[in-house]
């Protein structure tokens, strides 16, 4: 399992380590905000388009070869800019990193499910999410240190070495998991499976959690600056958010496996906690930054392992790669849609109204669950 955890760390570190350093450390390549936005969108855009394809490929030929191939491709894409320091190479390298992460990220998730019994999926996905959250947390910090020490090329060189090390580790330690025989699936069959409640409910919860997390990371510093807090304080608040998400995930997974927590109750509680965090962001001063960080982090940390465990439990093992890759699209859409919603409402009204709009969307599902239970 450890190489799979390292693969999760690698994709998170690759996403945030570079994204946090592009704007201030690559003036030769980033000549405008439009160019910066394009470079940031390349990584996530490639993941949205390619994750279902690579997930299906993992089901067809086995998740382990796709995992290893993705890690090697990530290393090659990173080495490209480390060796050829020019704007065109940066665009190609960033696109290549996103495409490679689209291969090894859903493959790692599928292997987490295949290599663990159903009764241990909560703990397994909790551990995977923990190390992925560590990558999101440390990515900007370690990336900033590397860029300060040797420029953006050093950061890409370190990512190339990291991907190579994880690939070798996975080749030595991850067992071969042969693909399972599959029945023929038509587009209509796929549509029915994706429209099933067992798929779209966990996926929607994961998308909502990612939206709340993205809004917290992006907009809490804005609220902190408006309250007169300095960059150190707002940066610490974002770190608290990521740390809470990382700490809660293993505990939530263990509670699910032990039967102390059900998927339905956990997802509903996670959405309600994250919504409460967004609502508390409307408070003034330090409380309006610290309380949301803790609550949003705890809510998303509760949802993530339960959502993936529910997807694994409701999917036949021969379709795990396709399911995980398709579910990742929901997370990416939440990652982009949450900030867009808050920004749009904030532009028309205030940032507090933006927080309230997203909180309202998140609280609809728990309210509907409670209403259904009261009716019964």
């Amino acid at each position: 399992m450890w190489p799979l955890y390292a693969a999760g760390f690698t994709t998170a570190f690759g996403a945030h380590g570079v994204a946090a350093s592009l704007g201030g450390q690559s003036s030769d390549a980033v000549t405008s905000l439009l160019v910066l936005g394009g470079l940031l969108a390349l990584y996530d855009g490639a993941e949205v388009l390619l994750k279902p394809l690579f997930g299906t490929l993992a089901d067809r030929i086995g998740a382990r070869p796709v995992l290893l191939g993705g890690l090697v491709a990530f290393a090659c894409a990173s080495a490209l800019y480390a060796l050829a320091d020019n704007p065109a190479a940066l665009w190609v390298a960033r696109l290549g990193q996103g495409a490679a992460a689209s291969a090894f990220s859903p493959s790692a998730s599928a292997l987490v499910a295949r290599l663990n019994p159903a009764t241990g999926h909560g703990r397994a996905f909790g551990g995977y999410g923990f190390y992925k959250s560590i990558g999101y947390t440390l990515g900007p910090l370690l990336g900033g240190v590397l860029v300060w020490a040797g420029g953006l090329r050093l950061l890409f060189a370190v990512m190339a070495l990291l991907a190579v090390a994880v690939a070798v580790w996975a080749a030595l330690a991850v067992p071969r998991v042969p693909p399972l025989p599959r029945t023929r699936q038509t587009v209509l069959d796929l549509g029915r499976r994706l429209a099933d409640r067992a798929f779209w409910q966990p996926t929607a919860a994961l998308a909502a959690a990612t939206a709340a997390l993205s809004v917290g990371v992006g907009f809490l510093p804005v609220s902190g600056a408006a309250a007169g807090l300095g960059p150190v304080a707002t940066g610490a608040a974002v770190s608290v958010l990521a740390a809470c998400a990382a700490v809660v995930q293993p505990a939530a997974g263990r509670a699910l496996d032990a039967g102390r927590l059900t998927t339905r109750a956990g997802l509903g509680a996670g959405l309600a906690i994250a919504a409460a965090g967004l609502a508390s962001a409307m408070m003034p001063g330090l409380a309006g930054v610290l309380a949301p960080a803790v609550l949003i982090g705890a809510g998303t940390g509760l949802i993530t392992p339960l959502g993936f465990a529910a997807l694994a439990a409701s999917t036949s093992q021969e379709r795990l790669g396709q399911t995980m890759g398709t579910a990742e699209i929901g997370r990416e859409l939440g990652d982009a849609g949450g900030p867009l919603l808050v920004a749009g409402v904030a532009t028309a009204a205030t940032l507090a109204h933006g927080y309230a709009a997203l909180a309202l969307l998140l609280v609809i599902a728990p309210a509907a669950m409670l209403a259904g239970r009261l009716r019964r």
Side-chain angles (χ1 to χ4, degrees):
M1 290 297 296
W2 285 104
L4 303 181
Y5 295 159
F9 174 88
T10 300
T11 183
F13 177 70
H16 281 201
V18 177
S21 303
L22 279 175
Q25 301 295 335
S26 53
S27 56
D28 57 332
V30 182
T31 55
S32 68
L33 290 177
L34 182 61
V35 172
L36 175 61
L39 283 169
L40 293 175
L42 272 180
Y43 194 99
D44 291 331
E47 289 190 308
V48 168
L49 293 175
L50 297 177
K51 275 185 175 179
L53 298 179
F54 281 117
T56 303
L57 180 64
D59 292 333
R60 186 179 299 275
I61 67 172
R64 185 175 180 271
V66 180
L67 171 76
L68 298 178
L71 287 167
V72 171
F74 189 91
C76 293
S78 302
L80 173 66
Y81 182 72
L83 297 174
D85 183 13
N86 62 72
L90 180 60
W91 283 86
V92 175
R94 198 63 180 152
L95 179 61
Q97 285 181 331
S102 303
F104 70 79
S105 181
S107 301
S109 298
L111 283 168
V112 169
R114 287 288 302 274
L115 295 176
N116 289 276
T119 55
H121 279 169
R123 183 189 300 269
F125 280 108
Y128 182 73
F130 172 81
Y131 287 101
K132 204 167 184 178
S133 295
I134 292 298
Y136 286 131
T137 305
L138 296 182
L141 176 61
L142 295 179
V145 171
L146 291 171
V147 169
W148 170 80
L152 200 61
R153 294 177 67 185
L154 177 61
L155 174 58
F156 274 80
V158 169
M159 284 194 294
L161 294 175
L162 173 64
V164 169
V166 175
V168 172
W169 191 10
L172 295 174
V174 176
R176 299 181 184 275
V177 182
L180 298 173
R182 303 181 306 159
T183 58
R184 182 176 177 82
Q185 176 182 252
T186 65
V187 175
L188 187 59
D189 294 331
L190 177 61
R192 288 197 192 99
R193 191 157 61 85
L194 299 185
D196 190 86
R197 181 179 298 180
F199 173 82
W200 67 258
Q201 281 190 343
T203 302
L206 289 168
T210 308
L213 185 66
S214 182
V215 166
V217 171
F219 288 93
L220 286 183
V222 178
S223 298
L229 302 177
V232 174
T234 55
V238 172
S239 297
V240 167
L241 188 156
C244 288
V247 169
V248 169
Q249 289 191 59
R254 289 193 297 269
L256 177 66
D257 291 341
R260 299 191 303 270
L261 183 66
T262 65
T263 301
R264 184 184 182 89
L267 293 180
L271 289 170
I273 293 171
L278 290 166
S280 66
M282 295 185 285
M283 297 189 300
L286 180 61
V289 178
L290 188 57
V294 173
L295 292 173
I296 292 173
T300 57
L302 184 57
I303 291 169
T304 302
L306 302 187
F308 279 114
L311 289 170
S314 64
T315 304
S316 56
Q317 291 204 342
E318 67 271 15
R319 302 285 183 188
L320 276 172
Q322 185 182 66
T323 296
M324 295 302 176
T326 307
E328 288 283 356
I329 292 183
R331 298 189 74 194
E332 298 296 340
L333 293 177
D335 195 15
L340 286 175
L341 172 65
V342 172
V345 175
T347 301
T350 65
L351 182 55
H353 287 86
Y355 290 138
L358 184 57
L360 182 61
L361 284 180
L362 263 64
V363 83
I364 287 175
M369 292 179 187
L370 179 61
R373 184 169 298 177
L374 290 175
R375 282 198 301 269
R376 288 194 298 272

